[in-house]
Amino acid sequence: MQSTLNLPVIGLDLAKSVFQLHIVDVESGEIQRRQIKRAKLTEFFAKCNRSLVAMEACGSSHYWARTIQALGHEVKLLPAQHVKAFLLRDKTDAMDAQAIWVAAQQPHILPVPVKSERQQACLALHGMRRQMMKMRIMQTNALRGILAEFGIAMPVGHNQLLKMILAEIAEAQEKGHLPADLVICIQEQLKRIDGLQDDIDHIGQRLGAIIREDRQMQAIQQIPGVGDLTASALVAAVGDFCAFKSARQFASWVGLVPRHVGTGGKTQQLGISKRGDTYLRTLLIAGARAVIARSGKSDWIERLLQRRHYNVVVVALANKMARTAWAVLARGMAFDRTRWNPLETVTA
């Protein structure tokens, strides 16, 4: 089988309708810049000799990666922020394809693993759920603002709002503080919020069904602070945890390690890098906050809280959760609560 290092490289700039190719002939050095319409792209690669096709990891890239791989080619998805460094002069489709071609041959740029349809479907459910959550928050905040204009102060929190709003509206209506037309509109808004909540719950049930069919998700669910959302999002976003050499590299990819700034032989550690997937990092930190809030006086957490700020302890625990998830899935180890031990109670 032909080695990937010896394959000709094709830089492919993805688009909606017209795709740009950058091809350099290995023997003659001749440069080809071609535009191909979407309907002809599969046919082109079906007739093309086996090559290394490089693309930016962007919209539709995983679909095209699977399609091109099925035709016998090797595919390399590159992080878009790393490709940008090789873009010369003005930004055009041809220059983008050339930058992709150059970046694909840099050994220090790690490729993005190609996601399966199942992984993308799971992440799509997470994306739709986040959108519905955002819409629900917008609508409940709008209700708070409207009622505040009439002297009705509602508590913070979705559940608290729904628990008290009907009684507050009825009382205000009896006192003549709210017009009837406005009350009808508020009731219609509450129905829309209930509909959004039903949709959010249905997506949660579908994610639960995915977890019941996936052993990797079930394995990391044993880690304290890792629930349905975190387990499904981690496995779907990463796929092959063996792509990371160590637990620290995985935690760095998520953005839970300090940034380093150094010059003249002196290195300084700053706050966490916040690189990688913001959603995954948010889920891990939220899970860590829940563990700390509900764990009581844990020996490991208590000692950290005595030396560091609360938020620093939260991030430290999120980092440990990410490292443990890597160890469980990359090494095939069952989660061992005695080795983890952040919930060991302090003896009096």
Side-chain angles (χ1 to χ4, degrees), residues 82-104:
H82 296 332
V83 174
K84 187 177 181 180
F86 298 94
L87 181 63
L88 303 178
R89 297 185 296 276
D90 299 331
K91 176 177 169 57
T92 63
D93 290 346
M95 297 305 294
D96 284 344
Q98 177 180 311
I100 293 169
W101 182 88
V102 175

Side-chain angles (χ1 to χ4, degrees), residues 208-224:
I210 292 174
I211 291 173
R212 287 191 293 272
E213 298 175 359
D214 195 298
R215 293 183 179 179
Q216 286 188 317
M217 295 179 185
Q218 295 172 17
I220 62 174
Q221 265 191 316
Q222 306 303 316
I223 303 171

Side-chain angles (χ1 to χ4, degrees), residues 29-219:
E30 179 187 358
I31 299 176
Q32 299 182 45
R33 294 184 175 93
R34 298 186 55 177
Q35 287 186 340
I36 297 181
K37 292 186 177 180
R38 182 186 184 91
K40 298 290 184 179
L41 190 65
T42 304
E43 180 184 349
F44 170 81
F45 282 109
K47 297 178 179 179
C48 184
N49 294 330
R50 186 169 179 266
S51 306
L52 173 62
V53 183
M55 299 178 283
E56 283 185 334
C58 58
S60 77
S61 61
H62 292 279
Y63 163 76
W64 284 113
R66 292 193 298 268
T67 302
I68 295 172
Q69 281 180 337
L71 298 174
H73 299 278
E74 296 291 329
V75 173
K76 191 173 186 179
L77 295 183
L78 301 169
Q81 65 270 26
H82 296 332
V83 174
K84 187 177 181 180
F86 298 94
L87 181 63
L88 303 178
R89 297 185 296 276
D90 299 331
K91 176 177 169 57
T92 63
D93 290 346
M95 297 305 294
D96 284 344
Q98 177 180 311
I100 293 169
W101 182 88
V102 175
Q105 300 175 74
Q106 309 305 311
H108 63 282
I109 298 180
L110 298 178
V112 176
V114 179
K115 290 181 174 59
S116 65
E117 293 179 351
R118 187 66 170 171
Q119 286 176 271
Q120 283 191 283
C122 184
L123 292 176
L125 291 179
H126 277 274
M128 287 187 281
R129 184 183 182 278
R130 291 203 307 274
Q131 184 185 51
M132 291 177 186
M133 291 283 290
K134 185 176 181 179
M135 294 170 61
R136 191 192 72 181
I137 292 171
M138 290 170 60
Q139 297 203 6
T140 53
N141 285 344
L143 283 181
R144 285 192 185 89
I146 291 170
L147 293 175
E149 294 294 331
F150 293 88
I152 303 174
M154 300 304 299
V156 177
H158 172 74
N159 293 330
Q160 291 297 321
L161 173 71
L162 296 183
K163 188 182 297 182
M164 298 179 58
I165 190 170
L166 292 178
E168 292 286 345
I169 290 174
E171 182 180 350
Q173 195 173 15
E174 288 178 2
K175 295 178 180 180
H177 294 168
L178 284 179
D181 292 340
L182 179 59
V183 172
I184 293 173
C185 289
I186 291 175
Q187 291 172 343
E188 291 173 347
Q189 181 86 325
L190 289 173
K191 290 181 181 179
R192 287 191 288 270
I193 293 173
D194 289 339
L196 283 172
Q197 185 59 53
D198 290 339
D199 292 339
I200 292 170
D201 293 339
H202 291 155
I203 291 179
Q205 293 171 4
R206 295 185 185 104
L207 288 173
I210 292 174
I211 291 173
R212 287 191 293 272
E213 298 175 359
D214 195 298
R215 293 183 179 179
Q216 286 188 317
M217 295 179 185
Q218 295 172 17

